[in-house]
Structure formats: structure tokens, C-alpha cells
């Protein structure tokens, strides 16, 4: 099942999925039923718990909603305020933020650090991450590569903005994992089983592990289910090693022993696809366990003594059940939801009260925590969370300075959140913005954004900059030019190389026209920001729909990238087969071409065998033999090299071919874009092809 899911991680890294099946909703985990003799399934493929069945439905298709995988863990303001209550030292959290800021600065000029950070941080989608990783695999360095630098600069700005506005601090020794239940009953009460992929910084009783190896956690761990607003939502549990559970990776298995499930103690989770934040960083452990390095001395009694009593989620009012649900009931529910959705308001009130009272466990915060739980369930229950007047803070009351609330007086907040805010503001002011050669005469605005416009009066320096960063070795290794011409682009290029360059120039002009149109449409004038989707500043008309706009921009950029990748491989096919690709077989052929042209030569036989097996399974033609595949790869490498040359070579970038080559005449719009903008993303839509070609050896 997992192997057939698109865009999923390797199947050996997935152990749990969230599904819908008819009227049932929950998670599925693969088990060896030889270890579960109590379950007599009688040839059943899927076993559903009665609690998973919400209603009866004849729909019999299994829908995969979410894949359980390792997600980077970040602290936020609610968690930090609760850590303050649990006596976690402020210096520990400040040090985490300072390490993150140091790493964000270092990655702008260090390929090794950038590679490591890209594997860990959230932000860009997987395609763009792989694109940047492929660029560094080609030997390119963010210190002098303008597109790589602009993307990393945008990612850095995205995380700095989140640090300032949300205190979103990356926890290296942590992960967000989907939760499941231990069916073997071998995990004791108060314990969990966790096996995650850890980098070389992780060490355990048996020493430091190989980089990015899977490791079973042992010892105390801090577990929470976000959002957290109650002191009992943070739980210290014991991670145990159970050999029978070693098949389960990138998930957290809870015990089914005890009077009350540990998952239920954290925001009332019922393990129907909920995700839990887990950290084994001892600097974040609660109270007396903070800084504990010797896990052998910690007992379950120690853990229970530092945990706050959890909130009781069963006392909330239930909505009356309906026997016959009519259209008017559904309409009424959506109207009431639009009117009474107070979740965001409750969250901000909780932050304000915790700051004013200097405690996340004050009476007001505890009452708001109960209301928060009701508001979270409102879309399902229909019971609104009404905020009483005594919990409303008047607009005239000063707010903490880190709230950045305009039109309201503020006071200096000395909590961890206040100190974190002061630290990130002082560290990331515009005057402290790192200066690198890769900026390449592009403008930096007052907010520190790297724009795609050239600095006024420095346009004449741009060609000199391009000459300094142009890598002729790319065109040489990918086979576009022979050795006699690789360093003399002033010569007239003829033959096949000319045709490759003509097509590449035409595609580049079209691509940049559409990219600039998107930048103008969304008022995003940074190439790095619009390509990564890490937008640090929105136009004033879009400030109320930032999340929706970011997703919309990502979709548009993904479509633009996909369209031009499609055109690239269509042209490769046309040169190979001397005919155009027929629309009826386009998708099937495109899958073959993208796979074989982006695979290392050592993996090619295995990849082709998989493609052949799938083609036979679906009764589809096998479009290429191995001889054709090797030819196709050479053509693809040459076209990819041409994409790079027309973007980075200063002599070719503004070439005007003779008048007979009408299809390559640049439009006035394209010429204007080249004069005003410094855009570099075009060749990297096929970064995977360039990377493979750079490492290609003759078979």
C-alpha cells in the first residue's frame, strides 16, 4: 500500500498511516500477527477498532489521509510559557535560539552547514529542497552561487520571522511523530516506544551512532500534543526498548496499560491520527529532571512526580444527537461555526494572561485552557466556546512588548518569551544582515529582503559578476561544447549546440516572463522567496490571508516548474525520436524520461526494471530500450547544460541570434526583464538532470 503512494518517503521508514474507510477514521499500523495470538482475523487485511467507526457507510474505498513520518520539532510561545512554569531555566531556551541563529547565518556561506540545515529545517517543499541539495552535490557553494544563496536567504528570513513573531525554535533532538497503540501490551504504563532517525549528534548508552541511523530512544523524554495550553499537557515519560517493536519506525507507541491513557492526558487525544512532539534534549526536561544526563538513575516515580495533574476532558457538554440529519442542519452548523469560531481569540487571550500574571497556570489561563478544548472540538461537536467578560482584557490594557500590538501601550516582559524576542531583534537587525559575494549587485531593502532588482548604477558590473561565477565545467561535463570551445563563447556556435542554445534561450525568456508576472501579481519581488514559498513580507492587501497566499504561490510556482520541465523532456524526446510526443502517451513516456534522466548510472538497471514491471502490470508499452535510454540521457544532459549557459554565461545571456532564427528573437518584455532583473532559477528546474550529468561516467 505504502509503495503505491505518490511522494511518500521510503516504505521502510513508514510504520503508520492515517486513513478513512467508509464511516471509520483512525490509524493503521502494520503488525506481525504471529505476535498477536489474541487477534483471530481469519484472513482479514484490515482490523478496525469499534472506536474508529464513527458511522456506518457503504463506501468501501480506503483513503490515505496522512503518512506518519519524522517532522522537525519547533517550540512555540505556548510551550515556552509552560516550560517557564515547570522551572526550565531561561538560559537553556535562549541557548537553543542562539544556536539556531548561528546556524542560519553560517549556512549562507558554508555548503556543509547548508546541506545539514536543509535536511533538518522546514520551509521549502521537497522538490526545491532536492534542487538545492543537487546544486551542492555539483560542487556549488552558497557563498558565490546567486540562486542557491537567494533561496537560503529566503529560508533564513522565514525562520527569523517565525522566531520574532512566534518564538518558533528548532529542537534538533526532537521530532513530531504520529501516535499509535502498542498492541502487544509490552510497553509499561507511563512509558512509550520511539524509534527515529537521528543524526550523529545523538548518543546513547552504546555510543554515538552512524549519521542518520535509526535509533530506539531509551530514558526520559518530554512528550506533548500541540496546541498546549494546560500545565498537564507537557508529560515526562520513559522511552523503553522493546525488541518486538523494532519494526515500528518514525512513530510513537503508547502503552495500553494504566487507568488513563497517556495520550488522553495530553489535550484529550484518542490516537486517531494525532501527532505528538517528542524531545530527548535534557535541557528541556521539567523541574528536577532538567539537565539530567544519567537516564539510569531516573525512575517512573521520578517522572510522575514532575508531571502536573492533567486536565479532565470528559466533563465537557456534548451536543444533542440527531436521528435524521437534513440539509438545514448542515447549513446551520457551518453558519454557527463562522459566527462562533473563537479559537484564535482564546489563544491570544491565554498568551496575554500568562504574560500579565507571569504564570501559565494562573486561574485565567486554566479557565481559558478549558475553553480552548471546547473550541478545538467545536467543528465536530457544535458546542461553541463562549468567552466570559471577566476573561476579556480591555483594549486599553498594555500588552507585552513582544506582541507588537499596534495602537496599544506595551510593557517590557521579562519572561523567557520576552528575552527571546529581544535577542532575535538585536541579532537580526538590517545593519547586521550578512554581506556575501553571491548577492551579486542585487538590492537589499530596509527589511533585509534580497530583491531580484539590480542596484541602480551597478548594471554594468553585473556581467563582470556573471563571468566570475560562471562554471564552464558544467557545459563541458554535460557535453554541450567540445574542449576547443568551452572557454571561448565569443565564437559563433554552430551545429547541434546552437539548436540547444536557441531552444534554451526561448524557454528561458518564456519562463522569466511568467515568473516576473507572478512576482508582480503577488507583490513578491524576491526570486528566492517566491520560489521557496518562504515569504517574509506580504503586501498590505494580503496580510489577512498570508497562509492562503503562501499556498497559492506554491501551487503556481509548482505548476510553472512542471510546465517547463514537461517542455524540456518533450524536446529531448523530439530530438531522440525525430518526432513530437503524442498526447495520448505523454504521461507514461514522461514518467520514463524523468526517471531515467535523473537516476545515477549505477541505479539505472534497477530503475528501468521497476518501470518495465509497472508497464507490464498496467498493460502499457515499453517505450525505450537501454540503447535509447543512454542516448536520451546524453541529449538531456546537453539541453540541461544549455539551460545553464543561457542563464549564467554573460556573453550568451543577452545573445541575439540572426534574423532567420525568428523563434529565438527576444521580446521587448524579455529584454526589459533582463535589464531590470537578475533571475537565476531557470536552469535549476532540471537540477536533478544537471547533478546526474555532472557525476556521469561511461558505463
Amino acid at each position: 500500500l505504502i509503495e503505491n503512494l505518490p511522494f511518500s518517503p521510503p516504505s521502510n521508514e513508514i510504520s503508520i498511516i492515517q486513513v478513512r474507510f467508509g464511516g471509520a477514521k483512525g490509524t493503521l499500523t502494520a503488525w506481525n500477527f504471529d505476535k498477536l495470538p489474541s487477534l483471530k482475523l481469519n484472513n482479514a487485511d484490515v482490523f478496525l477498532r469499534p472506536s474508529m467507526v464513527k458511522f456506518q457507510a457503504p463506501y468501501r474505498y480506503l483513503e490515505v489521509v496522512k503518512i506518519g513520518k519524522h517532522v522537525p520539532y519547533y517550540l512555540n510561545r505556548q510551550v515556552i510559557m509552560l516550560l517557564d512554569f515547570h522551572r526550565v531555566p531561561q538560559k537553556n531556551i535562549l541557548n537553543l535560539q542562539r544556536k539556531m541563529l548561528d546556524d542560519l547565518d553560517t549556512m549562507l556561506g558554508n555548503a556543509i552547514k547548508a546541506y545539514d540545515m536543509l535536511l533538518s529545517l522546514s520551509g521549502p517543499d521537497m522538490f526545491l529542497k532536492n534542487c538545492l541539495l543537487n546544486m551542492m552535490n555539483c560542487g556549488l557553494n552558497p557563498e558565490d552561487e546567486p540562486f542557491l544563496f537567494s533561496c537560503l536567504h529566503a529560508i533564513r528570513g522565514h525562520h527569523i520571522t517565525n522566531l520574532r513573531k512566534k518564538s518558533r525554535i528548532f529542537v534538533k533532538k526532537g521530532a513530531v511523530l504520529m501516535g499509535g497503540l502498542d498492541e502487544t501490551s509490552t510497553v509499561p504504563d507511563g512509558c512509550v516506544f520511539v524509534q527515529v532517525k537521528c543524526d550523529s549528534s545523538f548518543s546513547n548508552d552504546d555510543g554515538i551512532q552512524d549519521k542518520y541511523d535509526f535509533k530506539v530512544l531509551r530514558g526520559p523524554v518530554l512528550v506533548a500534543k500541540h496546541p498546549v495550553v494546560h500545565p498537564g499537557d507537557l508529560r515526562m515519560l520513559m522511552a523503553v526498548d522493546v525488541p518486538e517493536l523494532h519494526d515500528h519506525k518514525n512513530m510513537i507507541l503508547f502503552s495500553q496499560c494504566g487507568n488513563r491513557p497517556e495520550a488522553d492526558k495530553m489535550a484529550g487525544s484518542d490516537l486517531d491520527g494525532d501527532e505528538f512532539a517528542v524531545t530527548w534534549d535534557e535541557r528541556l526536561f521539567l523541574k528536577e529532571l532538567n539537565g539530567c544526563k544519567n537516564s539510569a538513575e531516573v525512575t517512573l516515580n521520578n517522572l510522575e512526580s514532575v508531571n502536573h495533574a492533567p486536565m479532565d476532558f470528559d466533563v465537557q457538554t456534548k451536543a444533542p444527537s440527531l436521528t435524521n440529519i437534513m440539509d438545514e442542519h448542515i447549513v446551520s452548523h457551518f453558519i454557527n461555526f463562522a459566527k462562533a469560531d473563537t479559537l484564535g481569540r482564546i489563544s491570544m487571550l491565554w498568551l496575554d494572561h500568562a504574560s500579565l500574571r507571569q504564570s501559565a497556570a494562573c486561574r485565567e489561563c486554566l479557565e481559558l485552557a478549558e475553553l480552548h478544548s471546547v473550541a478545538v472540538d467545536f467543528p465536530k461537536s457544535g458546542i461553541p466556546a463562549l468567552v466570559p467578560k471577566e476573561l476579556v482584557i480591555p483594549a486599553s490594557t498594555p500588552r507585552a512588548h513582544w506582541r507588537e500590538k499596534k495602537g496599544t501601550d506595551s510593557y517590557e516582559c521579562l519572561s523567557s518569551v520576552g528575552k527571546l524576542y529581544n535577542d532575535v531583534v538585536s541579532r537580526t537587525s538590517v545593519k547586521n544582515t550578512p554581506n556575501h559575494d553571491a548577492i551579486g549587485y542585487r538590492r537589499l531593502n530596509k527589511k533585509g529582503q534580497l530583491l531580484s532588482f539590480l542596484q541602480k548604477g551597478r548594471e554594468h558590473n553585473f556581467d563582470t559578476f556573471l563571468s566570475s561565477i560562471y562554471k564552464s565545467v558544467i557545459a563541458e561535463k554535460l557535453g554541450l561544447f567540445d574542449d576547443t570551445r568551452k572557454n571561448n563563447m565569443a565564437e559563433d556556435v554552430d551545429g547541434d549546440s546552437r539548436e540547444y542554445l536557441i531552444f534554451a534561450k526561448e524557454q528561458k525568456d518564456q519562463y522569466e516572463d511568467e515568473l516576473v508576472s507572478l512576482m508582480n501579481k503577488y507583490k513578491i519581488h524576491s526570486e528566492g522567496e517566491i520560489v521557496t514559498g518562504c515569504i517574509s513580507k506580504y503586501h498590505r492587501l494580503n496580510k489577512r490571508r498570508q497562509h492562503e497566499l503562501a499556498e497559492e504561490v506554491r501551487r503556481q510556482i509548482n505548476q510553472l516548474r512542471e510546465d517547463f520541465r514537461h517542455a524540456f523532456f518533450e524536446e529531448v524526446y523530439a530530438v531522440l525520436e525525430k518526432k513530437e510526443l503524442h498526447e495520448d502517451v505523454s504521461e507514461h513516456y514522461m514518467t520514463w524520461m524523468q526517471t531515467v534522466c535523473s537516476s545515477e548510472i549505477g541505479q539505472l538497471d534497477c530503475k528501468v526494471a521497476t518501470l518495465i514491471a509497472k508497464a507490464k502490470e498496467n498493460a502499457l508499452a515499453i517505450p525505450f530500450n537501454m540503447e535509447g535510454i543512454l542516448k536520451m540521457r546524453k541529449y538531456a544532459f546537453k539541453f540541461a547544460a544549455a539551460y545553464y549557459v543561457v542563464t549564467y554565461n554573460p556573453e550568451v545571456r543577452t545573445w541575439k541570434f540572426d534574423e532567420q532564427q525568428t523563434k529565438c528573437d527576444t521580446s521587448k518584455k524579455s529584454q526589459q526583464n533582463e535589464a531590470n532583473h537578475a533571475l537565476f532559477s531557470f536552469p535549476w528546474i532540471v537540477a536533478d538532470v544537471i547533478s546526474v550529468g555532472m557525476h556521469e561516467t561511461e558505463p
Side-chain angles (χ1 to χ4, degrees):
L1 174 63
I2 293 173
E3 290 175 351
N4 292 325
L5 295 176
F7 313 116
S8 65
S11 58
N12 63 346
E13 296 185 10
I14 303 173
S15 300
I16 186 170
I17 55 176
Q18 185 185 27
V19 299
R20 292 185 186 275
F21 183 67
K25 175 199 172 190
T27 57
L28 292 182
T29 308
W31 291 93
N32 182 348
F33 287 108
D34 291 338
K35 301 176 183 178
L36 303 174
S38 60
L39 293 180
K40 298 179 180 179
L41 298 182
N42 297 323
N43 298 321
D45 293 318
V46 177
F47 185 85
L48 301 179
R49 290 182 175 276
S51 60
M52 294 172 64
V53 181
K54 312 302 181 185
F55 57 90
Q56 297 298 325
Y59 188 73
R60 306 303 293 170
Y61 291 94
L62 184 70
E63 299 177 352
V64 178
V65 179
K66 187 186 296 184
I67 299 171
K69 55 186 178 181
H70 185 138
V71 178
Y73 177 40
Y74 294 84
L75 302 179
N76 59 28
R77 283 176 175 166
Q78 284 90 345
V79 176
I80 292 168
M81 286 187 164
L82 288 172
L83 290 176
D84 272 353
F85 168 76
H86 285 291
R87 305 201 302 272
V88 173
Q90 291 184 351
K91 66 177 183 179
N92 291 359
I93 306 172
L94 277 166
N95 288 338
L96 280 175
Q97 177 173 277
R98 287 167 182 166
K99 177 65 167 65
M100 183 178 178
L101 287 170
D102 289 341
D103 289 344
L104 289 172
D105 287 343
T106 304
M107 78 173 183
L108 294 182
N110 186 302
I112 296 175
K113 175 59 71 174
Y115 200 99
D116 184 57
M117 293 289 281
L118 280 173
L119 293 173
S120 304
L121 294 179
S122 62
D125 61 27
M126 190 54 65
F127 183 96
L128 201 280
K129 272 191 179 183
N130 288 334
C131 167
L132 301 180
L133 295 174
N134 280 323
M135 292 177 70
M136 286 182 279
N137 283 333
C138 292
L140 300 176
N141 195 305
E143 195 170 18
D144 57 11
E145 206 322 294
F147 178 65
L148 182 56
F149 178 85
S150 61
C151 290
L152 294 175
H153 190 274
I155 295 169
R156 172 183 177 271
H158 167 75
H159 285 285
I160 285 175
T161 299
N162 282 333
L163 284 172
R164 181 172 62 84
K165 293 186 175 182
K166 303 177 181 178
S167 297
R168 200 165 181 267
I169 303 171
F170 175 58
V171 180
K172 191 169 187 177
K173 294 182 179 181
V176 178
L177 307 169
M178 192 176 293
L181 189 68
D182 168 35
E183 300 288 352
T184 64
S185 299
T186 52
V187 176
D189 183 25
C191 300
V192 291
F193 176 84
V194 183
Q195 184 177 200
V196 291
K197 186 178 284 189
C198 304
D199 67 17
S200 56
S201 67
F202 179 86
S203 62
N204 214 323
D205 296 342
D206 48 359
I208 295 177
Q209 303 302 306
D210 293 335
K211 192 170 180 65
Y212 301 115
D213 188 18
F214 274 99
K215 182 64 183 177
V216 176
L217 301 186
R218 284 176 286 171
V221 291
L222 179 65
V223 184
K225 176 185 172 292
H226 289 215
V228 292
V229 288
H230 189 275
D233 288 343
L234 298 180
R235 314 292 299 172
M236 289 297 303
L237 303 175
M238 184 70 74
V240 294
D241 185 1
V242 180
E244 293 84 357
L245 302 178
H246 280 190
D247 291 338
H248 295 79
K249 301 175 181 178
N250 285 336
M251 65 178 298
I252 176 170
L253 284 172
F254 289 92
S255 171
Q256 57 174 295
C257 306
N259 296 325
R260 181 179 176 184
E262 287 293 340
D264 181 65
K265 296 177 184 178
M266 293 176 275
S269 172
D270 55 2
L271 298 180
D272 63 349
D274 294 331
E275 294 179 314
F276 297 82
V278 185
T279 177
W280 51 99
D281 191 329
E282 63 275 0
R283 292 174 295 178
L284 298 177
F285 289 172
L286 309 184
K287 299 177 182 175
E288 291 79 11
L289 293 179
N290 188 267
C292 172
K293 294 183 179 296
N294 189 357
S295 59
E297 296 180 358
V298 180
T299 66
L300 288 176
N301 288 334
N302 297 143
L303 295 177
E304 189 58 35
S305 67
V306 300
N307 286 330
H308 191 280
M311 194 169 84
D312 189 356
F313 298 94
D314 293 331
V315 299
Q316 298 167 8
T317 306
K318 306 294 182 183
S321 59
L322 299 171
T323 53
N324 294 318
I325 300 176
M326 312 298 289
D327 289 347
E328 52 265 31
H329 293 130
I330 298 175
V331 172
S332 176
H333 176 75
F334 278 101
I335 292 175
N336 290 336
F337 175 72
K339 287 181 178 179
D341 181 18
T342 55
L343 184 59
R345 184 186 180 202
I346 291 171
S347 297
M348 297 312 298
L349 280 172
W350 188 92
L351 286 172
D352 287 336
H353 278 292
S355 179
L356 282 168
R357 273 71 182 177
Q358 300 182 14
S359 173
C362 64
R363 177 186 60 82
E364 292 83 358
C365 284
L366 294 178
E367 290 183 24
L368 286 167
E370 294 183 7
L371 289 173
H372 188 278
S373 177
V374 176
V376 167
D377 287 336
F378 176 49
K380 295 182 291 184
S381 68
I383 303 297
L386 303 177
V387 181
K389 289 183 180 180
E390 57 268 22
L391 293 180
V392 177
I393 299 176
S396 58
T397 303
R399 300 304 202 272
H401 69 292
W402 47 260
R403 284 274 269 118
E404 297 182 344
K405 192 172 177 63
K406 294 181 179 180
T408 303
D409 293 336
S410 64
Y411 63 91
E412 187 75 14
C413 177
L414 300 179
S415 67
S416 292
V417 172
K419 292 181 179 179
L420 290 166
Y421 175 84
N422 294 340
D423 186 56
V424 73
V425 168
S426 63
R427 282 280 303 269
T428 59
S429 61
V430 175
K431 64 181 181 181
N432 293 332
T433 300
N435 189 21
H436 291 268
D437 293 339
I439 292 176
Y441 303 107
R442 290 174 288 180
R443 299 185 207 168
L444 282 167
N445 67 8
K446 294 179 180 179
K447 298 291 185 180
Q449 288 178 289
L450 178 60
L451 306 183
S452 296
F453 301 115
L454 292 172
Q455 299 172 17
K456 291 182 179 179
R458 303 299 297 271
E459 293 85 357
H460 63 284
N461 299 111
F462 189 59
D463 284 353
T464 305
F465 168 71
L466 288 177
S467 297
S468 68
I469 65 168
Y470 174 65
K471 309 291 185 186
S472 61
V473 67
I474 293 180
E476 175 193 351
K477 281 197 171 184
L478 297 184
L480 181 62
F481 302 124
D482 58 29
D483 292 342
T484 62
R485 188 173 282 138
K486 66 182 180 183
N487 292 317
N488 189 5
M489 295 302 300
E491 296 182 17
D492 290 335
V493 178
D494 52 14
D496 292 339
S497 296
R498 181 183 184 84
E499 295 301 319
Y500 296 138
L501 290 172
I502 289 174
F503 175 77
K505 187 72 168 74
E506 179 189 40
Q507 289 292 299
K508 173 181 175 289
D509 291 342
Q510 292 178 11
Y511 171 85
E512 291 185 352
D513 285 349
E514 293 189 33
L515 182 62
V516 171
S517 294
L518 287 176
M519 294 169 77
N520 291 334
K521 176 181 178 181
Y522 295 109
K523 310 297 182 186
I524 302 169
H525 298 296
S526 166
E527 184 180 30
E529 290 190 10
I530 198 167
V531 170
T532 60
C534 297
I535 304 164
S536 59
K537 182 174 174 57
Y538 293 83
H539 189 266
R540 58 186 176 82
L541 298 176
N542 297 320
K543 284 190 174 180
R544 290 187 175 273
R545 50 183 297 264
Q546 293 183 12
H547 179 74
E548 294 84 351
L549 185 75
E551 291 301 314
E552 187 178 328
V553 168
R554 287 179 192 269
R555 285 194 298 271
Q556 298 257 21
I557 289 295
N558 286 339
Q559 188 60 55
L560 177 67
R561 184 190 297 140
E562 189 62 33
D563 289 345
F564 280 88
R565 277 181 66 88
H566 199 282
F568 174 88
F569 286 106
E570 277 189 335
E571 189 68 14
V572 171
Y573 178 85
V575 172
L576 176 68
E577 300 290 348
K578 305 296 188 289
K579 62 180 181 180
E580 293 185 359
L581 183 61
H582 198 280
E583 188 175 348
D584 292 345
V585 296
S586 175
E587 184 177 352
H588 176 49
Y589 279 43
M590 200 63 61
T591 300
W592 271 72
M593 288 189 287
Q594 295 202 46
T595 301
V596 301
C597 291
S598 60
S599 300
E600 299 289 345
I601 192 70
Q603 301 175 346
L604 197 55
D605 289 340
C606 180
K607 296 279 187 179
V608 171
T610 302
L611 289 170
I612 290 173
K614 287 188 176 181
K616 290 180 177 179
E617 181 181 341
N618 297 305
L620 296 172
I622 298 173
F624 310 105
N625 57 26
M626 187 56 74
E627 181 182 358
I629 286 172
L630 295 176
K631 283 184 179 179
M632 180 201 307
R633 285 164 64 89
K634 289 184 177 181
Y635 289 135
F637 296 156
K638 290 181 178 181
F639 273 112
Y643 276 35
Y644 175 80
V645 170
V646 299
T647 304
Y648 283 81
N649 188 286
E651 299 172 47
V652 181
R653 183 180 173 93
T654 55
W655 259 3
K656 294 181 176 61
F657 296 94
D658 57 40
E659 294 182 0
Q660 284 81 15
Q661 301 289 355
T662 55
K663 74 172 185 175
C664 195
D665 286 345
T666 54
S667 65
K668 290 183 179 179
K669 185 177 181 181
S670 300
Q671 293 176 21
Q672 185 178 7
N673 287 339
E674 287 183 349
N676 298 330
H677 293 82
L679 303 173
F680 298 95
S681 59
F682 172 65
W684 307 116
I685 60 176
V686 288
D688 50 349
V689 180
I690 294 176
S691 178
V692 169
M694 289 291 289
H695 297 92
E696 183 79 317
T697 56
E698 291 296 328

